[in-house]
């Protein structure tokens, strides 16, 4: 269209104004500090009773009971001291409920608890005044920043979802009757997405969460949607969706107790409801189904069938959510069209009160190296080696399957542009780039195959390629065996309620998966790291079977005869090489390209080539059964500019287990050679005091970094969601404020001024913490709007005051890739094609495919000096996401933070499990209600 002037990003985000909330009310009890102290005492008593220092008091007993009583909308927060519900709760019922809870936690049976003698805690709770609050009156601000109380964030979606679901939704030729759920979201309960046979189902499920953005005066309602898969069995389910008897009541999400395969309704919850004479048919029905399935499983087992599963079929009123991502007849994702229609629906329901923030394009056309040229050139490898102080690189290939040995050969020969392929003799050096880059192959089956004897250092004795040599950097490229089904169900994570006996639900290792103590990849990496040798592993290029037979060729192989007829890139081999180079600290010219051009030529008074960039990664890995306490990880890296234009940028690292800045490959090896420290270490205790100690430890690392960089200015990049408890100055409601000198207000804030970073860059990539983009609209000078499309640009959120926030919008390669069909761009799953295998009528099964949509990475820059402006650093951060070190497409983290995260993810003790639908698989050091 003529006269295009600007591009505007369309978001599923709306200002939470008093007009939007209208007359929505909740019932609130705000407890005095004395009540919170009594809860802490109750927590200690429960931990002593079950003899578990990390056990959590089962407050779900009370909340589940109260949800059944009030229709579903109840939230209890014992840390911040409030109970909020949509309907009022009777004082006597509240007193009885918490009397039972305290009695059970103190070891009494439900029959022994005397309701005529309520506990002191129950009396204090019931005696707290219940007040009806108008939500619109509590959208408080501090210096212009949204600063509403925590209870507002927890309850604001209840009435919005009810209004959203009131009338039918006409979409894609369907009439959808949405139902609200107890979390403040909504579900297309009666119109599931099903496979062709009608035996597997998923539900369109949406969420309404209130979040904030820096320097936007109103809180925002973030709208999102997912395809929630319903499994046939309650086995492994963490959550069950249950329909209440009254259809005007919300769908209740019931959290199951226990761990491992068999989850149950918490026994004490059922006892409490029965003692209170409450209607507990919802929970009782779930438990009856669990018991029925277990009886049927035991009966089948007695008959010799260990694989019994409930048959698929029509949905019932009890629907267990599939808690893991594995093979399922219905794909994940709802698609862009669904999200656009969701926005249209929101605006239909809420009219002129549905106001989105203004988000405009900032930077387009960020360059990436082509996928075919993603590997660094031999010249780039040597340039980086020379800058690091090495003259030679030796790649040691450890193998035991001949097909993977051949893949390594082809990948290396291609990367180093060799015209002829030679079949290397084990133990003999082969020149890839004269004598400067060489490869040595060693067959090492016992070292690489899973088992208790894998990864033994004795198996490396005599391998000539691993012998150190002055001026030579050594990297190991290896393979490991995997016999299990990658799509098998996985063990559940820690954190669910336990019974008072202290026993935990059983867990089963998936068939074929090696135990953590027998996984050769982790064992061999630990052994190599202790020799200060960097390692990387290749993924099999085809599905393995238990009958795979491995033999060593007795005669040289004619590699030309083994080549596939069609020349295709071996992507796993390419990315394994890239990751090996990253682990070795090799940095190619892509980083040079990122640092120059346009707005990033200057960063305040400095050239972009004069500023270093540090990334700090923090993660808390939740405790498993058998572990005394949680593991905590802190790693950091820095991209250091070259002293001379002919040199390369260099990568350096640090970890809390080896608190020294050193070249990245040495820092990573030192980190991998040691165990994660446990959370009971004084400085890493998972409480506020512990967070301050961790922040001080990181400040000491930055103090050492300033010395290490010898005066080079530097920035610090962190994940704002993962580290929010460490630094108060990251929070949205603190922007515009200044911390007290010498405190851990921001990273490096306690240091002397010339040692501080020049800016802190906060990245947020969490799905539920960032607004969901669904299109980009061209707007011309006549305010005419063009068709909505996808975008991969950097956008700026126009602030109401202060510095802006930027959103780097990404279209997943699976959506745009060849033969992708861009599923979900013009229809919903309700009209998806189930496909056909009939010859002449072949069609893709759209229902089984994953549907992708756009994502946004939030970038917010906090300058620590007046002469530093945020925009150049925001653009630079976007470029460092767009041109990562380890693969061809974007990463959600910029290169320094991503490299720090990879140090953690490659650690032998890093927990590698399939993740839940709304979980990231690890417990981060963050709150749960946004940057507030």
């Amino acid at each position: 269209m003529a006269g295009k002037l600007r591009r505007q990003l369309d978001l599923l985000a709306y200002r939470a104004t008093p007009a939007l909330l209208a007359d929505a009310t909740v019932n609130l009890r705000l407890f005095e500090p004395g009540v919170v102290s009594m809860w802490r005492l109750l927590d200690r008593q429960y931990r002593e009773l079950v003899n578990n220092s990390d056990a959590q008091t089962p407050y779900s007993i009370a909340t589940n009971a109260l949800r059944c009583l009030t229709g579903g909308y109840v939230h209890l927060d014992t840390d911040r001291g409030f109970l909020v519900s949509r309907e009022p709760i009777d004082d006597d019922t509240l007193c009885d409920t918490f009397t039972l809870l305290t009695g059970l936690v103190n070891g009494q049976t439900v029959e022994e608890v005397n309701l005529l003698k309520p506990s002191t805690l129950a009396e204090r709770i019931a005696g707290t005044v219940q007040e009806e609050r108008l939500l619109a009156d509590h959208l408080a601000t501090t210096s212009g920043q949204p600063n509403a109380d925590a209870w507002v964030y927890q309850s604001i979606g209840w009435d919005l979802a009810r209004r959203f679901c009131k009338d039918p939704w006409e979409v894609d030729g369907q009439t959808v009757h949405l139902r609200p759920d107890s979390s403040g979201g909504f579900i297309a309960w009666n119109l599931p997405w099903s496979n062709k046979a009608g035996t597997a189902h998923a539900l369109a499920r949406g969420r309404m969460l209130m979040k904030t953005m820096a320097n936007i005066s109103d809180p925002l309602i973030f709208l999102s949607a997912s395809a929630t898969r319903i499994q046939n069995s309650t086995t492994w389910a963490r959550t069950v969706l249950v329909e209440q008897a009254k259809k005007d009541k919300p769908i209740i999400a019931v959290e199951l107790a226990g761990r491992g395969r068999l989850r149950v309704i918490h026994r004490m919850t059922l006892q409490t409801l029965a003692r209170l004479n409450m209607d507990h048919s919802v929970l009782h029905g779930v438990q009856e189904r669990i018991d029925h399935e277990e009886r049927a499983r035991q009966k089948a087992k007695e008959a010799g069938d260990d694989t019994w599963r409930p048959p698929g079929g029509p949905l019932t009123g009890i629907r267990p959510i599939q808690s893991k991502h594995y093979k399922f007849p219905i794909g994940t994702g709802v698609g862009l069209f669904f999200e656009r229609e969701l926005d249209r629906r929101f605006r239909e329901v809420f009219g002129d009160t549905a106001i989105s923030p203004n988000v405009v394009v900032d930077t387009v056309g960020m360059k990436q190296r082509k996928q075919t040229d993603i590997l660094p050139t031999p010249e780039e490898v040597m340039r980086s080696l020379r800058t690091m102080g090495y003259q030679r690189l030796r790649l040691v290939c450890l193998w035991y399957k001949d097909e993977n040995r051949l893949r390594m050969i082809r990948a290396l020969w291609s990367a180093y542009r060799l015209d002829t392929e030679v079949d290397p003799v084990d133990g003999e050096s082969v020149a890839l780039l004269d004598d400067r880059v060489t490869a040595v192959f060693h067959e090492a089956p016992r070292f690489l195959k899973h088992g208790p004897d894998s990864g033994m250092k004795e198996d490396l004795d005599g391998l000539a390629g691993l012998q150190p040599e002055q001026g030579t950097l050594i990297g190991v490229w290896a393979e490991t065996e995997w016999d299990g089904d990658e799509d098998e169900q996985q063990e559940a994570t820690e954190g669910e309620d336990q019974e008072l006996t202290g026993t935990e639900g059983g867990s089963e290792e998936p068939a074929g998966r090696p135990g953590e103590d027998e996984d050769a990849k982790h064992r061999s990496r630990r052994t190599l790291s202790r020799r200060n040798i960097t390692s990387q592993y290749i993924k099999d290029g085809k599905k393995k079977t238990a009958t795979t037979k491995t033999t060593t060729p007795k005669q040289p192989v004619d590699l030309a005869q083994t080549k596939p007829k069609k020349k295709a890139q071996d992507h796993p081999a390419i990315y394994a090489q890239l990751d090996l180079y990253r682990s070795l600290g090799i940095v190619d010219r892509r980083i040079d390209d990122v640092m120059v051009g346009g707005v990033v030529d200057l960063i305040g008074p400095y050239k972009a080539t004069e500023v270093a960039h540090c990334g700090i990664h923090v993660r808390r890995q939740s405790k498993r059964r058998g572990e005394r306490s949680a593991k905590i990880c802190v790693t950091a890296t820095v991209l250091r500019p070259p002293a001379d234009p002919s040199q390369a940028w260099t990568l350096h690292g640090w970890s809390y287990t080896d608190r020294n800045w050193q070249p990245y490959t040495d820092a990573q090896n030192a980190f991998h050679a040691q165990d994660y420290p446990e959370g009971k270490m004084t400085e890493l205790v998972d409480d506020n005091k512990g967070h301050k100690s961790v922040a001080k430890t990181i400040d000491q690392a930055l103090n050492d970094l300033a010395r290490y960089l010898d005066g080079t200015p530097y920035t610090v990049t962190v994940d704002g969601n993962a580290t929010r408890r460490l630094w108060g100055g990251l929070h949205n409601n603190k922007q515009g404020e200044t911390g007290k000198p010498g405190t851990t207000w921001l990273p490096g804030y306690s240091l002397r001024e010339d040692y501080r970073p020049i800016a802190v860059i906060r990245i947020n990539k969490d799905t539920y913490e960032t607004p969901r983009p669904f299109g980009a609209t061209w707007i011309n000078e006549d305010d005419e709007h063009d068709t909505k499309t996808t975008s991969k640009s950097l956008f700026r959120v126009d602030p109401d005051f202060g510095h802006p926030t930027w959103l780097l919008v990404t279209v997943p390669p699976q959506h745009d890739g060849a033969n992708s069909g861009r599923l979900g761009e013009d229809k919903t799953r309700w009209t998806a094609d189930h496909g056909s295998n009939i010859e002449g009528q072949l069609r893709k099964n759209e229902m089984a495919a994953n549907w992708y949509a756009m994502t946004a990475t939030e970038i917010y820059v906090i300058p620590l000096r007046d002469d530093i402006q945020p925009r150049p650093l925001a653009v630079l951060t976007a470029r460092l996401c767009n041109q990562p070190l380890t693969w061809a497409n974007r990463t959600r983290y910029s290169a320094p933070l991503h490299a720090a995260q990879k140090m953690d993810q490659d650690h032998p003790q890093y927990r590698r499990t399939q993740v839940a639908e709304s979980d990231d698989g690890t417990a981060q050091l963050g709150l749960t209600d946004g940057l507030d």
Side-chain angles (χ1 to χ4, degrees):
M1 83 188 193
K4 289 180 180 177
L5 289 182
R6 67 186 189 275
R7 203 175 198 183
Q8 181 173 299
L9 186 66
D10 302 314
L11 296 173
L12 290 172
Y14 315 90
R15 290 179 180 261
T17 61
L20 179 71
L21 300 186
D23 57 355
T25 61
V26 295
N27 292 273
L28 176 70
R29 295 178 194 252
L30 289 175
F31 301 114
E32 297 177 350
V35 176
V36 177
S37 298
M38 295 175 72
W39 266 319
R40 299 291 74 79
L41 176 61
L42 189 68
D43 292 339
R44 288 197 296 272
Q45 293 171 340
Y46 180 67
R47 287 193 290 269
E48 290 173 1
L49 181 67
V50 299
N51 193 26
N52 184 339
S53 61
D54 291 310
Q56 296 178 349
T57 306
Y59 292 111
S60 60
I61 296 172
T63 53
N64 280 335
L66 295 172
R67 282 174 185 154
C68 289
L69 171 68
T70 64
Y73 294 123
V74 175
H75 183 83
L76 171 68
D77 191 318
T78 59
D79 291 323
R80 285 173 278 198
F82 67 82
L83 174 67
V84 61
S85 61
R86 188 165 183 271
E87 302 295 333
I89 300 175
D90 179 73
D91 291 348
D92 291 338
T93 300
L94 200 59
C95 187
D96 288 348
T97 300
F98 281 94
T99 296
L100 286 167
L101 173 63
T102 52
L104 292 168
V105 166
N106 281 294
Q108 293 179 279
T109 66
V110 70
E111 292 80 12
E112 292 173 337
V113 179
N114 187 352
L115 297 180
L116 298 177
K117 295 183 178 181
S119 67
T120 304
L121 173 59
E123 287 183 322
R124 293 285 298 276
I125 292 171
T128 301
V129 176
Q130 179 174 239
E131 299 179 76
E132 187 177 41
R133 298 286 184 93
L134 185 69
L135 284 170
D137 290 342
H138 295 275
L139 299 176
T141 60
T142 301
S143 302
Q145 303 285 358
N147 193 29
D149 291 323
W151 60 268
V152 179
Y153 288 86
Q154 295 295 340
S155 59
I156 200 165
W158 295 346
D159 191 69
L160 290 175
R162 181 187 62 82
R163 291 161 63 191
F164 192 78
C165 299
K166 183 179 179 182
D167 298 318
W169 178 26
E170 302 296 334
V171 56
D172 199 18
Q174 312 294 312
T175 299
V176 182
H177 296 272
L178 295 171
R179 298 277 298 276
D181 67 31
S182 57
S183 67
F186 51 88
I187 306 175
W189 185 256
N190 295 320
L191 197 63
W193 293 326
S194 306
N195 63 343
K196 193 172 185 178
T199 56
H201 314 275
L203 300 175
R205 190 179 183 195
R207 297 184 180 216
M208 291 184 180
L209 300 177
M210 190 170 87
K211 303 293 177 181
T212 64
M213 293 190 77
N215 304 326
I216 299 293
S217 58
D218 300 305
L220 299 175
I221 301 297
F222 286 177
L223 193 57
S224 63
S226 62
T228 297
R229 295 158 161 192
I230 304 302
Q231 59 189 40
N232 295 330
S233 171
T234 57
T235 301
W236 296 101
R238 301 177 184 181
T239 306
V240 177
L241 298 175
V242 188
E243 183 177 35
Q244 300 190 71
K246 294 182 179 180
K247 303 303 181 183
D248 61 337
K249 298 296 183 182
I251 304 299
I252 291 186
V254 177
E255 301 294 329
L256 299 184
R259 298 178 64 227
R261 181 180 60 79
L262 183 61
R263 305 299 184 96
V264 295
I265 295 294
H266 204 293
R267 170 176 53 85
M268 292 184 291
T269 301
L270 295 174
Q271 292 173 335
T272 299
L273 285 167
R275 182 69 190 277
L276 293 173
N277 295 318
M278 290 185 185
D279 176 14
H280 61 290
S281 57
V282 168
L283 301 184
H284 188 66
V286 175
Q287 188 59 50
E288 280 188 335
R289 174 163 169 176
I290 293 171
D291 295 340
H292 171 76
E293 288 181 8
E294 191 59 20
R295 287 193 298 269
R297 182 178 290 104
Q298 290 299 326
K299 186 175 181 181
K301 188 174 182 179
E302 292 170 2
D305 180 8
D306 290 331
T307 63
W308 183 86
R309 294 287 187 275
L315 288 172
T316 67
I318 298 174
R319 305 180 183 182
I321 294 177
Q322 178 182 291
S323 60
K324 304 288 182 178
H325 287 316
Y326 62 101
K327 280 186 178 178
F328 198 77
I330 297 147
T332 60
V334 298
L336 283 170
F337 180 79
F338 187 98
E339 292 182 342
R340 290 198 297 269
E341 290 296 291
L342 207 58
D343 174 72
R344 180 180 63 82
R345 171 67 174 177
F346 194 93
R347 296 184 186 280
E348 284 178 353
V349 172
F350 297 102
D352 293 339
T353 65
I355 304 170
S356 296
N358 192 47
V359 186
V360 296
V361 71
D362 183 289
T363 304
V364 298
M366 287 177 283
K367 294 181 179 179
Q368 281 184 329
R369 184 175 286 189
K370 292 181 180 179
Q371 177 118 8
T372 53
D373 302 321
I374 194 63
L375 285 171
T377 65
E379 293 77 17
E380 288 174 325
V381 172
M382 288 309 305
R383 174 175 175 255
S384 185
L385 284 173
R386 288 193 300 269
T387 305
M388 289 190 289
Y390 293 99
Q391 290 79 49
R392 293 172 297 278
L393 171 64
R394 185 191 307 150
L395 301 176
V396 181
C397 301
L398 303 182
W399 65 280
Y400 64 93
K401 290 183 181 178
D402 192 53
E403 59 265 32
N404 286 330
R405 171 181 173 271
L406 296 179
R407 292 173 63 211
M408 291 179 180
I409 293 171
R410 293 195 189 101
L412 290 174
W413 264 245
S414 174
Y416 285 88
R417 307 168 181 169
L418 300 182
D419 294 332
T420 58
E421 293 179 350
V422 178
D423 184 30
V425 176
D426 257 33
E428 294 186 6
S429 180
V430 179
L432 300 178
L433 187 66
D434 48 63
D435 66 339
R436 294 176 293 172
V437 182
T438 58
V440 181
F441 285 76
H442 287 292
E443 184 181 16
R446 189 167 66 175
F447 185 72
L448 297 175
K449 285 189 174 183
H450 298 314
D453 297 326
S454 64
M456 302 294 287
K457 61 182 181 179
E458 293 79 7
D459 292 326
L460 300 179
D461 295 340
L463 299 187
L466 296 180
Q467 300 306 310
E469 182 181 346
Q470 185 68 30
T472 299
L473 179 61
I474 299 175
V476 165
W477 193 12
E479 64 164 306
T480 57
E481 181 181 47
W482 167 242
D483 289 330
D485 184 353
E486 293 180 356
D487 298 313
E488 191 74 58
Q489 184 65 284
Q490 308 264 338
E491 182 183 350
T493 57
E494 182 83 11
E496 291 81 12
D497 293 332
Q498 297 171 306
E499 293 287 358
L500 286 177
T501 60
T503 60
E504 297 170 307
S507 63
E508 298 175 350
E509 287 289 348
R513 174 180 287 281
E516 290 187 3
D517 294 335
E518 297 187 355
D519 193 310
K521 179 176 179 180
H522 312 325
R523 293 173 61 89
S524 60
R525 172 167 275 151
R526 171 61 58 86
T527 299
L528 291 165
S529 296
R530 287 176 173 167
R531 297 181 63 163
N532 198 24
I533 296 175
T534 298
S535 57
Q536 183 57 47
Y537 297 80
I538 187 171
K539 179 181 179 181
D540 268 4
K542 60 181 180 179
K543 188 73 173 180
K544 294 173 282 296
T545 65
T547 59
T548 301
K549 184 178 180 181
T550 303
T551 58
T552 304
K554 296 181 179 180
Q555 297 179 351
V557 176
D558 184 350
L559 294 173
Q561 296 298 320
T562 65
K563 286 185 179 181
K565 293 181 180 179
K566 290 185 178 180
K567 194 171 183 179
Q569 283 192 312
D570 186 346
H571 294 291
I574 291 172
Y575 291 134
Q577 287 182 85
L578 272 177
D579 222 13
L580 178 58
Y581 286 141
R582 184 266 310 165
S583 293
L584 291 168
I586 292 173
V587 179
D588 58 50
R589 290 188 183 274
R590 287 177 298 165
I591 297 302
D592 300 64
D593 297 339
V594 164
M595 300 297 182
V596 294
V599 71
V600 296
D601 279 336
L602 290 175
I603 299 173
Y606 308 106
K607 294 180 180 178
T609 53
E610 296 174 341
V611 179
H613 302 281
C614 173
I616 301 173
H617 167 70
V618 180
R619 184 181 66 87
R620 180 183 183 274
Q621 181 163 277
S622 57
K623 188 182 79 69
R624 267 188 183 171
R625 183 175 55 185
E627 296 176 342
R628 290 182 299 173
S629 60
K631 306 290 195 299
I632 298 181
C633 169
V634 185
T635 54
T637 65
V638 66
L639 267 174
R640 186 174 187 174
D644 184 271
S646 64
Q647 295 180 324
W649 285 71
T650 51
L651 189 63
H652 308 260
W654 176 97
S655 71
Y656 60 88
T657 53
D658 188 273
R659 299 178 184 184
N660 297 292
W661 286 97
Q662 52 190 323
Y664 183 80
T665 186
D666 297 325
Q668 179 169 267
N669 287 335
F671 177 50
H672 292 172
Q674 302 180 58
D675 289 345
Y676 286 139
E678 294 182 342
K680 292 301 180 185
M681 292 179 63
T682 302
E683 69 217 39
L684 298 176
V685 172
D686 191 20
D687 56 20
N688 187 57
K689 182 179 178 181
H691 296 149
K692 296 294 183 185
S693 296
V694 173
K696 289 179 180 178
T697 300
I698 292 173
D699 271 10
Q700 181 59 52
L702 294 178
N703 185 79
D704 297 342
L705 176 62
R707 294 174 181 270
Y708 187 78
L709 294 174
D710 194 23
T712 300
Y714 68 97
T715 68
V716 168
T717 301
V718 297
D719 183 318
N721 188 42
T723 62
R724 61 183 56 169
R725 288 191 177 183
L726 300 184
W727 297 296
L730 291 178
H731 298 183
N732 287 335
N733 62 2
K734 303 299 183 183
Q735 299 315 300
E737 299 181 16
T738 303
K740 294 181 180 179
T743 64
T744 54
W745 175 252
L746 286 168
Y749 204 79
S750 66
L751 308 181
R752 70 189 212 192
E753 288 193 13
D754 59 329
Y755 275 24
R756 292 180 184 177
I758 62 174
V760 174
I761 302 164
R762 189 189 75 191
I763 286 180
N764 197 342
K765 64 180 182 62
D766 186 272
T767 303
Y768 297 114
E769 298 283 345
T770 53
R772 173 72 71 174
F774 62 86
T777 304
W778 284 110
I779 305 174
N780 71 6
E781 56 191 359
D782 298 322
D783 201 33
E784 294 176 345
H785 293 56
D786 202 352
T787 305
K788 296 174 180 177
T789 61
T790 58
S791 177
K792 299 180 182 178
S793 301
L794 179 67
F795 288 83
R796 183 186 72 251
V797 182
D798 284 345
D800 295 330
F801 48 85
H803 296 310
T805 297
W806 280 264
L807 297 175
L808 178 60
V809 180
T810 299
V811 181
Q814 297 94 330
H815 181 78
D816 271 349
N819 301 318
S820 67
R822 295 196 169 190
L823 294 176
E825 194 165 38
D826 58 1
K827 62 183 173 184
T828 68
R829 285 189 180 274
W830 284 301
T831 55
D833 193 336
H834 287 92
S836 173
N837 292 323
I838 300 174
E839 188 173 350
Q841 302 179 27
L842 296 178
R843 300 190 313 278
K844 184 174 185 176
N845 187 339
E846 296 176 340
M847 186 65 78
N850 292 336
W851 290 20
Y852 298 92
M854 295 190 293
T855 60
T857 298
E858 181 185 294
I859 301 170
Y860 181 69
V861 181
I862 307 173
L864 297 186
R865 287 175 31 173
D866 293 337
D867 57 354
I868 301 298
Q869 294 301 311
R871 183 169 180 252
L873 289 173
V875 176
L876 177 61
T877 302
R879 287 186 177 184
L880 285 170
C881 294
N882 190 62
Q883 195 67 274
L885 295 172
T886 53
W887 74 318
N889 298 299
R890 282 182 183 168
T891 51
R892 302 295 296 277
Y893 283 155
S894 58
L897 184 55
H898 187 249
Q901 181 192 44
K902 290 293 289 182
M903 285 178 66
D904 177 26
Q905 291 179 338
D906 287 345
H907 193 282
Q909 290 183 322
Y910 181 84
R911 187 161 303 146
R912 295 158 182 84
T913 61
Q914 304 277 14
V915 297
E917 182 178 47
S918 59
D919 192 8
D920 66 354
T922 58
Q924 297 176 322
L925 300 180
L927 303 174
T928 58
D929 56 354
L931 296 176
D932 309 302

